[in-house]
Amino acid sequence: MSPEPLPPVAPEVLAEAVGQLTARLRKKLDAAVAECAGKALAGSGGSVEVRFGEDTLVILRPGPSGAVTEPGQAVCSCLLAPRCLHRAAVLGAAPLADADTVPPADPAAPEPSEGTPPPVTAPVTASSVPVTTEEARPSPTPAQVDAAAGLWLAAAEALAAGVTAGGTVVQAELLRAAHSARLAGLPRAEAAALRVVRGLRTARERHRGQRLSDLTAAFRTLLAGAAALASGAAGAEEVGTARRAYAEGGSLRVLGLCREPVLSATGYGGVTTHLLGPDDSLYTLSDVRPGGVSRAKGAGTASVALGGAVLDHAGLARGGLLIAGATVSADGRLGAGRGVRATPVRGADWSQEPVAAFFARPVREAVASSLDAAAAARGDAGPALLGCDVEVLGAADDHLLARVLDGGPLVRLRVAHPHPELAHAENLRRIGGFPGVVLRVLGRPDPDRAATLRPLAVGPVPGASSSLRLPEEWRGHADLGYDRLQGDHFPRPEAGAAPGTPGPAGTDPLADAPLWRVRRLLETGVAGGRRAVAEAARGADRTALGVPLRRAGLAGAAELAEGLAAEADRRPRDSFGRLVDASPDAYARAWLASAVHLDAAERALVTASWS
Protein backbone atom coordinates (compact mmCIF):
# COMPACT_ATOMS: atom_id res chain seq x y z
CA MET A 1 0.00 0.00 0.00
CA SER A 2 1.21 3.49 -0.82
CA PRO A 3 1.74 5.96 2.03
CA GLU A 4 -1.14 8.27 2.89
CA PRO A 5 -0.59 11.94 3.80
CA LEU A 6 -1.40 12.79 7.39
CA PRO A 7 -4.40 15.09 7.87
CA PRO A 8 -3.86 18.60 9.28
CA VAL A 9 -3.94 18.87 13.05
CA ALA A 10 -5.29 21.83 15.04
CA PRO A 11 -2.46 23.60 16.90
CA GLU A 12 -4.13 23.23 20.30
CA VAL A 13 -4.50 19.45 19.86
CA LEU A 14 -0.76 19.05 19.25
CA ALA A 15 0.09 21.39 22.14
CA GLU A 16 -2.08 19.38 24.53
CA ALA A 17 -0.58 16.06 23.42
CA VAL A 18 2.99 17.29 23.95
CA GLY A 19 2.05 18.87 27.27
CA GLN A 20 0.91 15.48 28.60
CA LEU A 21 4.31 13.84 28.02
CA THR A 22 6.82 13.29 30.79
CA ALA A 23 10.22 14.97 30.64
CA ARG A 24 11.81 11.67 29.61
CA LEU A 25 9.41 11.18 26.70
CA ARG A 26 9.82 14.77 25.52
CA LYS A 27 13.53 14.11 24.94
CA LYS A 28 12.59 11.31 22.56
CA LEU A 29 9.83 13.17 20.73
CA ASP A 30 11.76 14.61 17.76
CA ALA A 31 13.27 11.21 16.93
CA ALA A 32 9.81 9.63 17.12
CA VAL A 33 8.37 12.33 14.83
CA ALA A 34 11.07 11.58 12.25
CA GLU A 35 10.15 7.87 12.38
CA CYS A 36 6.60 8.68 11.24
CA ALA A 37 7.71 9.74 7.76
CA GLY A 38 6.06 7.60 5.09
CA LYS A 39 4.36 5.26 7.60
CA ALA A 40 0.79 6.60 7.36
CA LEU A 41 -1.74 4.34 5.64
CA ALA A 42 -5.41 4.78 4.80
CA GLY A 43 -7.75 3.21 7.33
CA SER A 44 -11.47 2.58 7.41
CA GLY A 45 -14.03 5.37 7.29
CA GLY A 46 -11.59 8.01 6.09
CA SER A 47 -9.17 7.48 8.97
CA VAL A 48 -5.37 7.45 8.72
CA GLU A 49 -3.27 4.87 10.60
CA VAL A 50 0.37 4.84 11.68
CA ARG A 51 1.78 1.63 13.13
CA PHE A 52 4.64 1.44 15.65
CA GLY A 53 5.91 -2.14 15.80
CA GLU A 54 3.44 -5.00 15.87
CA ASP A 55 1.24 -4.02 18.80
CA THR A 56 0.89 -0.22 18.67
CA LEU A 57 -1.41 1.60 16.27
CA VAL A 58 -2.22 5.33 16.15
CA ILE A 59 -5.44 6.25 14.35
CA LEU A 60 -6.40 9.76 13.25
CA ARG A 61 -10.04 10.38 12.39
CA PRO A 62 -10.42 13.85 10.84
CA GLY A 63 -13.63 15.77 11.31
CA PRO A 64 -15.87 17.25 8.60
CA SER A 65 -13.31 19.95 7.86
CA GLY A 66 -10.70 17.32 7.02
CA ALA A 67 -8.58 18.25 10.05
CA VAL A 68 -8.06 16.72 13.48
CA THR A 69 -9.64 19.38 15.67
CA GLU A 70 -10.50 17.38 18.83
CA PRO A 71 -8.19 15.30 21.08
CA GLY A 72 -10.56 12.33 20.77
CA GLN A 73 -9.95 12.18 17.03
CA ALA A 74 -6.40 10.90 17.69
CA VAL A 75 -6.17 7.58 19.56
CA CYS A 76 -3.38 5.10 20.28
CA SER A 77 -3.65 1.43 21.23
CA CYS A 78 -0.76 1.44 23.73
CA LEU A 79 -1.28 1.28 27.50
CA LEU A 80 0.01 4.84 28.11
CA ALA A 81 -2.49 6.46 25.74
CA PRO A 82 -3.44 9.23 25.47
CA ARG A 83 -0.30 10.39 27.31
CA CYS A 84 1.99 8.40 25.07
CA LEU A 85 4.90 9.16 22.78
CA HIS A 86 3.31 7.48 19.74
CA ARG A 87 0.23 9.69 19.66
CA ALA A 88 2.22 12.89 20.19
CA ALA A 89 4.73 11.89 17.51
CA VAL A 90 2.05 11.30 14.87
CA LEU A 91 0.35 14.58 15.70
CA GLY A 92 3.73 16.34 15.54
CA ALA A 93 4.45 14.85 12.12
CA ALA A 94 1.14 16.05 10.68
CA PRO A 95 0.81 19.48 9.06
CA LEU A 96 -0.72 22.29 11.09
CA ALA A 97 -4.32 23.11 10.35
CA ASP A 98 -5.38 26.68 9.77
CA ALA A 99 -6.24 28.68 12.85
CA ASP A 100 -9.78 29.15 11.61
CA THR A 101 -11.23 26.53 9.26
CA VAL A 102 -14.28 28.70 8.48
CA PRO A 103 -13.55 30.89 5.44
CA PRO A 104 -14.04 34.62 5.93
CA ALA A 105 -17.09 36.05 4.29
CA ASP A 106 -19.14 39.15 3.92
CA PRO A 107 -21.45 39.23 6.97
CA ALA A 108 -24.43 39.78 4.68
CA ALA A 109 -23.78 36.55 2.78
CA PRO A 110 -25.30 33.24 3.90
CA GLU A 111 -22.20 31.37 2.71
CA PRO A 112 -18.71 32.51 1.80
CA SER A 113 -18.13 33.20 -1.87
CA GLU A 114 -14.39 32.73 -1.69
CA GLY A 115 -12.07 30.44 0.16
CA THR A 116 -9.21 31.61 2.32
CA PRO A 117 -5.56 30.64 1.95
CA PRO A 118 -3.66 30.27 5.22
CA PRO A 119 -0.93 32.82 5.98
CA VAL A 120 2.24 32.17 3.89
CA THR A 121 5.37 34.17 2.77
CA ALA A 122 5.80 36.03 -0.40
CA PRO A 123 5.93 35.36 -3.12
CA VAL A 124 3.85 32.21 -2.88
CA THR A 125 0.47 33.98 -2.25
CA ALA A 126 -1.20 37.03 -3.45
CA SER A 127 -2.19 38.06 0.05
CA SER A 128 -2.74 36.71 3.50
CA VAL A 129 -5.90 36.78 5.56
CA PRO A 130 -6.39 39.44 8.19
CA VAL A 131 -7.95 38.36 11.35
CA THR A 132 -11.93 39.18 13.70
CA THR A 133 -15.65 39.77 12.91
CA GLU A 134 -15.93 42.31 15.71
CA GLU A 135 -14.73 45.85 15.55
CA ALA A 136 -11.18 46.09 16.92
CA ARG A 137 -10.94 47.67 20.33
CA PRO A 138 -8.76 50.75 20.80
CA SER A 139 -6.50 49.01 23.30
CA PRO A 140 -5.98 45.45 24.59
CA THR A 141 -7.86 44.18 27.63
CA PRO A 142 -6.08 42.77 30.73
CA ALA A 143 -6.74 39.22 29.46
CA GLN A 144 -5.19 40.11 26.12
CA VAL A 145 -2.17 41.65 27.83
CA ASP A 146 -1.65 38.44 29.82
CA ALA A 147 -2.00 36.28 26.69
CA ALA A 148 0.46 38.49 24.81
CA ALA A 149 2.96 38.24 27.68
CA GLY A 150 2.76 34.45 27.50
CA LEU A 151 3.20 34.56 23.74
CA TRP A 152 6.22 36.84 24.12
CA LEU A 153 7.86 34.40 26.54
CA ALA A 154 7.20 31.40 24.27
CA ALA A 155 8.51 33.29 21.24
CA ALA A 156 11.61 34.38 23.17
CA GLU A 157 12.28 30.76 24.16
CA ALA A 158 11.89 29.65 20.54
CA LEU A 159 14.24 32.40 19.35
CA ALA A 160 16.86 31.47 21.94
CA ALA A 161 16.61 27.83 20.82
CA GLY A 162 16.82 28.59 17.11
CA VAL A 163 16.09 26.13 14.32
CA THR A 164 18.62 23.59 15.55
CA ALA A 165 16.95 23.20 18.98
CA GLY A 166 13.46 24.36 18.00
CA GLY A 167 11.93 20.89 17.82
CA THR A 168 8.42 19.68 18.49
CA VAL A 169 8.49 20.53 22.20
CA VAL A 170 9.50 24.16 21.58
CA GLN A 171 6.95 24.43 18.78
CA ALA A 172 4.21 23.00 20.99
CA GLU A 173 4.83 25.64 23.68
CA LEU A 174 4.55 28.32 21.02
CA LEU A 175 1.33 26.73 19.73
CA ARG A 176 -0.07 26.63 23.27
CA ALA A 177 0.62 30.35 23.66
CA ALA A 178 -0.87 31.00 20.22
CA HIS A 179 -4.06 29.22 21.22
CA SER A 180 -4.27 31.30 24.40
CA ALA A 181 -3.91 34.40 22.23
CA ARG A 182 -6.74 33.19 20.06
CA LEU A 183 -9.02 32.62 23.05
CA ALA A 184 -8.16 36.12 24.30
CA GLY A 185 -9.15 37.64 20.96
CA LEU A 186 -5.67 38.28 19.50
CA PRO A 187 -5.98 36.71 16.04
CA ARG A 188 -3.12 38.66 14.46
CA ALA A 189 -0.71 37.50 17.16
CA GLU A 190 -1.94 33.92 16.75
CA ALA A 191 -1.41 34.06 12.98
CA ALA A 192 2.12 35.42 13.49
CA ALA A 193 2.93 32.55 15.88
CA LEU A 194 1.66 29.96 13.39
CA ARG A 195 3.87 31.48 10.68
CA VAL A 196 6.88 31.05 12.95
CA VAL A 197 6.02 27.43 13.77
CA ARG A 198 5.53 26.59 10.11
CA GLY A 199 8.83 28.31 9.33
CA LEU A 200 10.64 26.32 12.02
CA ARG A 201 9.23 23.09 10.64
CA THR A 202 10.19 23.94 7.08
CA ALA A 203 13.71 24.91 8.11
CA ARG A 204 14.24 21.78 10.22
CA GLU A 205 13.04 19.62 7.34
CA ARG A 206 15.41 21.54 5.03
CA HIS A 207 12.59 22.12 2.63
CA ARG A 208 13.71 23.19 -0.81
CA GLY A 209 11.72 26.43 -0.79
CA GLN A 210 12.58 27.61 2.73
CA ARG A 211 14.43 30.91 3.22
CA LEU A 212 16.06 31.86 6.48
CA SER A 213 15.25 35.50 5.78
CA ASP A 214 11.52 34.65 5.77
CA LEU A 215 11.75 32.98 9.17
CA THR A 216 13.75 35.93 10.49
CA ALA A 217 11.01 38.29 9.33
CA ALA A 218 8.36 36.05 10.91
CA PHE A 219 10.15 36.15 14.28
CA ARG A 220 10.47 39.94 14.03
CA THR A 221 6.75 40.35 13.32
CA LEU A 222 5.74 37.99 16.14
CA LEU A 223 8.02 39.52 18.76
CA ALA A 224 7.15 43.10 17.80
CA GLY A 225 3.41 42.43 17.96
CA ALA A 226 3.62 40.50 21.23
CA ALA A 227 5.76 43.20 22.83
CA ALA A 228 3.32 45.94 21.82
CA LEU A 229 0.34 43.99 23.13
CA ALA A 230 2.04 42.97 26.37
CA SER A 231 2.86 46.61 27.07
CA GLY A 232 -0.85 47.43 27.07
CA ALA A 233 -0.30 50.34 24.69
CA ALA A 234 -1.14 48.53 21.44
CA GLY A 235 -3.93 49.73 19.21
CA ALA A 236 -6.45 48.14 16.88
CA GLU A 237 -3.83 47.13 14.28
CA GLU A 238 -1.96 44.88 16.74
CA VAL A 239 -5.18 43.26 17.97
CA GLY A 240 -6.42 42.50 14.45
CA THR A 241 -9.70 41.00 13.31
CA ALA A 242 -10.56 37.29 13.20
CA ARG A 243 -12.56 37.62 10.05
CA ARG A 244 -12.35 40.13 7.29
CA ALA A 245 -14.84 42.88 8.09
CA TYR A 246 -16.70 44.28 5.08
CA ALA A 247 -18.08 47.80 4.92
CA GLU A 248 -20.67 49.27 2.60
CA GLY A 249 -19.05 50.63 -0.55
CA GLY A 250 -22.13 51.88 -2.40
CA SER A 251 -21.92 51.94 -6.19
CA LEU A 252 -18.52 51.09 -7.59
CA ARG A 253 -17.09 50.81 -11.10
CA VAL A 254 -13.93 48.68 -11.37
CA LEU A 255 -11.75 47.79 -14.35
CA GLY A 256 -9.68 44.65 -14.69
CA LEU A 257 -5.88 44.90 -14.50
CA CYS A 258 -4.69 41.27 -14.45
CA ARG A 259 -5.09 37.78 -12.94
CA GLU A 260 -2.63 36.24 -10.50
CA PRO A 261 -2.37 32.56 -9.49
CA VAL A 262 -2.52 31.98 -5.74
CA LEU A 263 -0.68 29.12 -4.01
CA SER A 264 -0.14 28.37 -0.35
CA ALA A 265 2.20 26.01 1.44
CA THR A 266 -0.74 24.11 2.95
CA GLY A 267 -2.53 23.06 -0.23
CA TYR A 268 -4.74 26.01 -1.14
CA GLY A 269 -4.88 27.25 -4.71
CA GLY A 270 -6.87 29.69 -6.79
CA VAL A 271 -6.81 33.05 -8.47
CA THR A 272 -6.91 36.71 -7.52
CA THR A 273 -8.06 39.26 -10.08
CA HIS A 274 -6.72 42.77 -9.53
CA LEU A 275 -9.07 45.66 -10.30
CA LEU A 276 -8.68 49.41 -10.59
CA GLY A 277 -11.32 51.67 -9.08
CA PRO A 278 -11.83 55.42 -8.85
CA ASP A 279 -8.83 57.58 -7.89
CA ASP A 280 -6.34 54.78 -8.65
CA SER A 281 -7.72 52.69 -5.76
CA LEU A 282 -6.96 48.96 -6.03
CA TYR A 283 -9.43 46.13 -5.39
CA THR A 284 -9.24 42.33 -5.57
CA LEU A 285 -11.68 39.52 -6.18
CA SER A 286 -10.41 36.07 -5.19
CA ASP A 287 -11.41 32.45 -5.61
CA VAL A 288 -9.10 30.38 -3.37
CA ARG A 289 -9.92 26.91 -2.08
CA PRO A 290 -8.14 23.64 -1.24
CA GLY A 291 -6.57 22.09 -4.33
CA GLY A 292 -2.98 23.27 -4.76
CA VAL A 293 -1.43 24.09 -8.12
CA SER A 294 -4.09 22.30 -10.18
CA ARG A 295 -6.73 24.50 -8.54
CA ALA A 296 -4.62 27.60 -9.19
CA LYS A 297 -4.28 26.74 -12.88
CA GLY A 298 -7.96 25.97 -13.38
CA ALA A 299 -9.28 28.91 -11.39
CA GLY A 300 -7.96 31.36 -13.97
CA THR A 301 -11.04 30.65 -16.09
CA ALA A 302 -13.48 29.95 -13.24
CA SER A 303 -16.72 31.91 -13.03
CA VAL A 304 -16.80 35.08 -10.96
CA ALA A 305 -19.11 34.66 -7.98
CA LEU A 306 -20.22 38.25 -7.44
CA GLY A 307 -23.74 39.58 -7.66
CA GLY A 308 -24.85 37.44 -10.59
CA ALA A 309 -22.16 38.74 -12.95
CA VAL A 310 -21.82 36.46 -16.00
CA LEU A 311 -18.04 36.59 -16.26
CA ASP A 312 -15.06 34.38 -15.60
CA HIS A 313 -11.80 35.64 -14.10
CA ALA A 314 -10.15 35.75 -17.52
CA GLY A 315 -12.92 38.00 -18.80
CA LEU A 316 -12.92 40.16 -15.67
CA ALA A 317 -9.15 40.74 -15.93
CA ARG A 318 -9.78 42.31 -19.35
CA GLY A 319 -13.21 43.76 -18.64
CA GLY A 320 -14.95 45.51 -15.80
CA LEU A 321 -17.89 45.52 -13.42
CA LEU A 322 -20.45 48.06 -12.32
CA ILE A 323 -21.29 47.00 -8.75
CA ALA A 324 -24.36 48.16 -6.83
CA GLY A 325 -24.38 47.73 -3.05
CA ALA A 326 -20.70 46.84 -3.00
CA THR A 327 -19.08 45.62 0.20
CA VAL A 328 -15.34 46.13 0.60
CA SER A 329 -12.84 45.02 3.24
CA ALA A 330 -10.09 47.24 4.60
CA ASP A 331 -7.52 45.63 2.29
CA GLY A 332 -9.66 46.11 -0.83
CA ARG A 333 -11.30 42.70 -1.18
CA LEU A 334 -14.77 42.74 -2.66
CA GLY A 335 -17.47 40.85 -0.76
CA ALA A 336 -20.41 38.93 -2.20
CA GLY A 337 -23.40 39.58 0.03
CA ARG A 338 -27.10 39.18 -0.70
CA GLY A 339 -27.50 42.81 -1.67
CA VAL A 340 -24.58 42.96 -4.09
CA ARG A 341 -25.44 43.26 -7.78
CA ALA A 342 -22.81 43.35 -10.51
CA THR A 343 -23.16 44.12 -14.20
CA PRO A 344 -20.32 43.48 -16.67
CA VAL A 345 -19.07 46.58 -18.46
CA ARG A 346 -16.45 47.19 -21.11
CA GLY A 347 -12.92 47.24 -19.75
CA ALA A 348 -10.08 49.58 -20.62
CA ASP A 349 -6.86 48.76 -22.41
CA TRP A 350 -3.70 49.59 -20.47
CA SER A 351 -3.12 52.42 -22.94
CA GLN A 352 -6.52 53.97 -22.19
CA GLU A 353 -7.60 56.15 -19.29
CA PRO A 354 -8.00 55.74 -16.40
CA VAL A 355 -5.68 52.70 -16.48
CA ALA A 356 -2.95 54.57 -18.35
CA ALA A 357 -2.72 57.11 -15.52
CA PHE A 358 -1.89 54.28 -13.11
CA PHE A 359 1.27 53.55 -15.12
CA ALA A 360 2.19 57.22 -15.38
CA ARG A 361 2.93 57.72 -11.67
CA PRO A 362 6.56 58.54 -10.73
CA VAL A 363 8.26 55.25 -9.95
CA ARG A 364 10.03 56.30 -6.73
CA GLU A 365 6.82 57.77 -5.31
CA ALA A 366 4.83 54.64 -6.18
CA VAL A 367 7.48 52.32 -4.68
CA ALA A 368 7.69 54.32 -1.44
CA SER A 369 3.91 54.18 -1.06
CA SER A 370 3.84 50.44 -1.81
CA LEU A 371 6.60 49.53 0.65
CA ASP A 372 5.18 51.74 3.40
CA ALA A 373 1.80 50.02 3.02
CA ALA A 374 3.47 46.60 3.24
CA ALA A 375 5.38 47.62 6.39
CA ALA A 376 2.18 48.88 8.01
CA ALA A 377 0.48 45.54 7.28
CA ARG A 378 3.16 43.74 9.38
CA GLY A 379 3.20 40.53 7.39
CA ASP A 380 -0.56 40.43 6.61
CA ALA A 381 -0.11 41.58 3.01
CA GLY A 382 2.57 42.18 0.42
CA PRO A 383 3.47 45.42 -1.33
CA ALA A 384 0.83 47.10 -3.47
CA LEU A 385 0.98 46.81 -7.25
CA LEU A 386 3.29 49.06 -9.26
CA GLY A 387 3.09 49.90 -12.96
CA CYS A 388 5.90 51.27 -15.14
CA ASP A 389 7.39 51.16 -18.65
CA VAL A 390 10.78 49.49 -19.07
CA GLU A 391 13.29 48.53 -21.74
CA VAL A 392 14.60 44.98 -21.34
CA LEU A 393 18.40 44.87 -21.47
CA GLY A 394 18.82 41.11 -21.22
CA ALA A 395 19.11 38.14 -18.92
CA ALA A 396 21.56 38.06 -15.99
CA ASP A 397 21.78 35.00 -13.74
CA ASP A 398 18.25 34.25 -12.48
CA HIS A 399 16.65 37.57 -13.43
CA LEU A 400 16.29 40.12 -16.22
CA LEU A 401 17.85 43.55 -16.26
CA ALA A 402 15.66 46.41 -17.45
CA ARG A 403 15.70 50.18 -17.32
CA VAL A 404 12.67 52.29 -16.53
CA LEU A 405 11.99 54.54 -19.51
CA ASP A 406 12.50 58.31 -19.50
CA GLY A 407 15.64 58.27 -17.38
CA GLY A 408 14.44 55.87 -14.71
CA PRO A 409 16.54 53.46 -12.63
CA LEU A 410 18.00 50.12 -13.61
CA VAL A 411 15.74 47.39 -12.19
CA ARG A 412 15.76 43.62 -11.90
CA LEU A 413 12.77 41.57 -13.01
CA ARG A 414 12.38 38.34 -11.02
CA VAL A 415 9.82 35.55 -11.21
CA ALA A 416 6.71 36.34 -9.17
CA HIS A 417 5.67 32.70 -8.61
CA PRO A 418 8.41 30.13 -9.16
CA HIS A 419 6.27 26.98 -9.36
CA PRO A 420 7.28 25.15 -12.57
CA GLU A 421 3.68 24.37 -13.54
CA LEU A 422 2.80 28.06 -13.69
CA ALA A 423 3.72 30.16 -16.71
CA HIS A 424 5.70 32.89 -14.91
CA ALA A 425 9.21 31.47 -15.27
CA GLU A 426 8.76 30.40 -18.89
CA ASN A 427 7.37 33.81 -19.88
CA LEU A 428 10.21 35.67 -18.18
CA ARG A 429 12.79 33.48 -19.96
CA ARG A 430 11.16 34.21 -23.29
CA ILE A 431 11.15 37.95 -22.63
CA GLY A 432 14.86 37.74 -21.79
CA GLY A 433 15.50 36.39 -25.28
CA PHE A 434 14.44 39.72 -26.83
CA PRO A 435 16.80 42.40 -25.50
CA GLY A 436 15.71 45.86 -26.51
CA VAL A 437 11.99 45.16 -26.29
CA VAL A 438 10.04 47.75 -24.32
CA LEU A 439 7.25 46.64 -22.02
CA ARG A 440 4.55 48.06 -19.83
CA VAL A 441 4.91 46.04 -16.61
CA LEU A 442 2.52 45.51 -13.71
CA GLY A 443 3.99 43.85 -10.62
CA ARG A 444 5.08 44.10 -7.00
CA PRO A 445 8.32 45.70 -5.83
CA ASP A 446 10.36 43.23 -3.78
CA PRO A 447 10.76 44.75 -0.28
CA ASP A 448 13.90 42.69 0.39
CA ARG A 449 15.91 43.45 -2.76
CA ALA A 450 17.23 46.62 -4.28
CA ALA A 451 15.28 47.90 -7.33
CA THR A 452 13.57 44.55 -7.94
CA LEU A 453 10.15 44.07 -9.47
CA ARG A 454 8.21 40.81 -9.64
CA PRO A 455 5.95 41.19 -12.69
CA LEU A 456 2.43 39.77 -12.83
CA ALA A 457 1.48 41.04 -16.30
CA VAL A 458 3.04 42.82 -19.27
CA GLY A 459 1.72 44.79 -22.22
CA PRO A 460 2.92 46.93 -25.12
CA VAL A 461 4.10 50.50 -24.56
CA PRO A 462 1.87 52.89 -26.54
CA GLY A 463 3.64 54.32 -29.59
CA ALA A 464 6.73 52.13 -29.26
CA SER A 465 7.78 50.20 -32.38
CA SER A 466 9.87 47.63 -30.52
CA SER A 467 7.14 46.45 -28.16
CA LEU A 468 4.81 43.49 -27.79
CA ARG A 469 2.26 42.51 -30.42
CA LEU A 470 -0.44 40.71 -28.50
CA PRO A 471 -3.63 39.06 -29.81
CA GLU A 472 -6.64 41.35 -29.93
CA GLU A 473 -8.61 39.12 -27.53
CA TRP A 474 -5.95 39.70 -24.83
CA ARG A 475 -7.05 43.34 -24.69
CA GLY A 476 -3.57 44.83 -24.47
CA HIS A 477 -1.86 42.74 -21.79
CA ALA A 478 -0.65 39.22 -20.98
CA ASP A 479 -1.17 37.69 -17.54
CA LEU A 480 2.21 36.05 -16.92
CA GLY A 481 0.77 33.34 -14.67
CA TYR A 482 -1.75 32.14 -17.26
CA ASP A 483 -1.08 33.46 -20.77
CA ARG A 484 1.97 32.09 -22.59
CA LEU A 485 3.98 34.45 -24.75
CA GLN A 486 5.14 33.17 -28.14
CA GLY A 487 7.82 34.33 -30.56
CA ASP A 488 5.34 36.10 -32.82
CA HIS A 489 4.22 38.27 -29.88
CA PHE A 490 7.59 40.05 -29.97
CA PRO A 491 8.95 42.55 -32.50
CA ARG A 492 11.19 41.17 -35.20
CA PRO A 493 14.85 42.14 -34.80
CA GLU A 494 16.16 44.54 -37.41
CA ALA A 495 18.25 43.00 -40.15
CA GLY A 496 21.93 42.94 -39.26
CA ALA A 497 21.33 44.05 -35.69
CA ALA A 498 23.64 42.42 -33.16
CA PRO A 499 22.07 40.84 -30.07
CA GLY A 500 22.18 43.21 -27.12
CA THR A 501 24.00 42.61 -23.86
CA PRO A 502 22.60 43.47 -20.46
CA GLY A 503 25.63 45.45 -19.38
CA PRO A 504 26.65 46.04 -15.77
CA ALA A 505 24.01 45.44 -13.14
CA GLY A 506 24.92 48.58 -11.24
CA THR A 507 25.54 48.93 -7.55
CA ASP A 508 23.32 47.21 -5.03
CA PRO A 509 23.02 49.40 -1.92
CA LEU A 510 21.88 46.44 0.17
CA ALA A 511 24.80 44.24 -0.83
CA ASP A 512 27.37 47.04 -0.65
CA ALA A 513 26.29 48.40 2.74
CA PRO A 514 27.84 46.73 5.81
CA LEU A 515 24.32 46.08 7.09
CA TRP A 516 24.78 42.56 5.78
CA ARG A 517 26.83 41.93 8.93
CA VAL A 518 23.81 42.70 11.08
CA ARG A 519 21.57 40.60 8.87
CA ARG A 520 23.96 37.66 9.11
CA LEU A 521 24.10 37.99 12.91
CA LEU A 522 20.30 38.02 13.19
CA GLU A 523 19.90 35.06 10.84
CA THR A 524 22.63 33.20 12.72
CA GLY A 525 20.52 33.60 15.85
CA VAL A 526 17.43 32.27 14.10
CA ALA A 527 19.31 29.28 12.68
CA GLY A 528 21.51 28.34 15.63
CA GLY A 529 19.94 30.12 18.57
CA ARG A 530 21.48 32.24 21.27
CA ARG A 531 24.65 30.16 21.54
CA ALA A 532 25.38 30.60 17.84
CA VAL A 533 25.19 34.40 18.18
CA ALA A 534 27.54 34.30 21.16
CA GLU A 535 30.06 32.13 19.31
CA ALA A 536 29.90 34.27 16.17
CA ALA A 537 30.58 37.51 18.05
CA ARG A 538 33.31 36.45 20.48
CA GLY A 539 36.85 37.77 20.46
CA ALA A 540 38.06 39.71 17.44
CA ASP A 541 34.79 39.10 15.60
CA ARG A 542 32.92 41.45 17.94
CA THR A 543 35.23 44.31 17.03
CA ALA A 544 34.90 43.48 13.36
CA LEU A 545 31.14 43.70 13.71
CA GLY A 546 30.89 47.34 14.78
CA VAL A 547 33.83 49.08 13.09
CA PRO A 548 32.62 48.81 9.45
CA LEU A 549 29.15 49.91 10.48
CA ARG A 550 30.45 53.03 12.23
CA ARG A 551 32.73 53.87 9.30
CA ALA A 552 29.65 53.82 7.07
CA GLY A 553 27.80 56.15 9.45
CA LEU A 554 25.59 53.39 10.84
CA ALA A 555 26.40 53.95 14.49
CA GLY A 556 22.91 52.97 15.63
CA ALA A 557 23.11 49.62 13.86
CA ALA A 558 26.58 49.04 15.35
CA GLU A 559 25.43 49.78 18.90
CA LEU A 560 22.39 47.53 18.64
CA ALA A 561 24.36 44.65 17.08
CA GLU A 562 27.07 44.88 19.73
CA GLY A 563 24.39 44.93 22.42
CA LEU A 564 22.85 41.80 20.94
CA ALA A 565 26.22 40.03 20.86
CA ALA A 566 26.96 41.00 24.47
CA GLU A 567 23.56 39.82 25.70
CA ALA A 568 23.89 36.54 23.82
CA ASP A 569 27.23 35.91 25.52
CA ARG A 570 26.01 36.83 29.00
CA ARG A 571 26.51 33.82 31.29
CA PRO A 572 25.02 34.41 34.76
CA ARG A 573 26.04 32.27 37.77
CA ASP A 574 24.18 31.27 40.89
CA SER A 575 25.32 31.95 44.46
CA PHE A 576 27.67 28.93 44.27
CA GLY A 577 29.37 30.18 41.10
CA ARG A 578 27.68 27.65 38.82
CA LEU A 579 26.57 28.67 35.34
CA VAL A 580 22.80 28.96 34.94
CA ASP A 581 20.68 29.53 31.88
CA ALA A 582 20.08 33.20 31.22
CA SER A 583 16.52 34.42 30.80
CA PRO A 584 15.56 34.70 27.09
CA ASP A 585 13.68 37.96 27.74
CA ALA A 586 16.60 40.39 27.53
CA TYR A 587 18.13 38.48 24.62
CA ALA A 588 14.86 38.59 22.67
CA ARG A 589 14.54 42.33 23.28
CA ALA A 590 18.08 42.93 22.06
CA TRP A 591 17.47 40.78 18.98
CA LEU A 592 14.17 42.52 18.24
CA ALA A 593 15.68 46.02 18.57
CA SER A 594 18.40 45.16 16.08
CA ALA A 595 15.94 43.44 13.72
CA VAL A 596 13.50 46.38 13.68
CA HIS A 597 16.35 48.85 13.07
CA LEU A 598 17.71 46.69 10.24
CA ASP A 599 14.28 46.38 8.62
CA ALA A 600 13.79 50.15 8.60
CA ALA A 601 17.31 50.78 7.27
CA GLU A 602 16.96 48.22 4.48
CA ARG A 603 13.54 49.54 3.51
CA ALA A 604 15.03 53.02 3.17
CA LEU A 605 17.85 51.66 0.99
CA VAL A 606 15.41 49.72 -1.20
CA THR A 607 13.31 52.85 -1.71
CA ALA A 608 16.40 54.88 -2.58
CA SER A 609 17.50 52.25 -5.11
CA TRP A 610 14.48 53.13 -7.25
CA SER A 611 15.71 56.71 -7.73
Side-chain angles (χ1 to χ4, degrees), residues 103-114 336-338:
D106 182 355
E111 294 183 358
S113 64
E114 59 183 84
R338 293 190 184 93

Side-chain angles (χ1 to χ4, degrees), residues 490-505:
F490 293 86
R492 296 179 180 179
E494 298 180 3
T501 57

Side-chain angles (χ1 to χ4, degrees), residues 122-192:
V124 178
T125 59
S127 62
S128 298
V129 184
V131 255
T132 186
T133 45
E134 300 178 358
E135 288 293 325
R137 290 175 288 274
S139 61
T141 65
Q144 290 174 328
V145 171
D146 290 342
L151 186 58
W152 164 269
L153 181 58
E157 293 280 5
L159 178 67
V163 171
T164 54
T168 308
V169 173
V170 172
Q171 295 169 25
E173 290 302 317
L174 193 49
L175 292 176
R176 186 190 306 279
H179 184 58
S180 298
R182 180 185 187 185
L183 296 178
L186 298 175
R188 173 168 284 187
E190 180 203 16

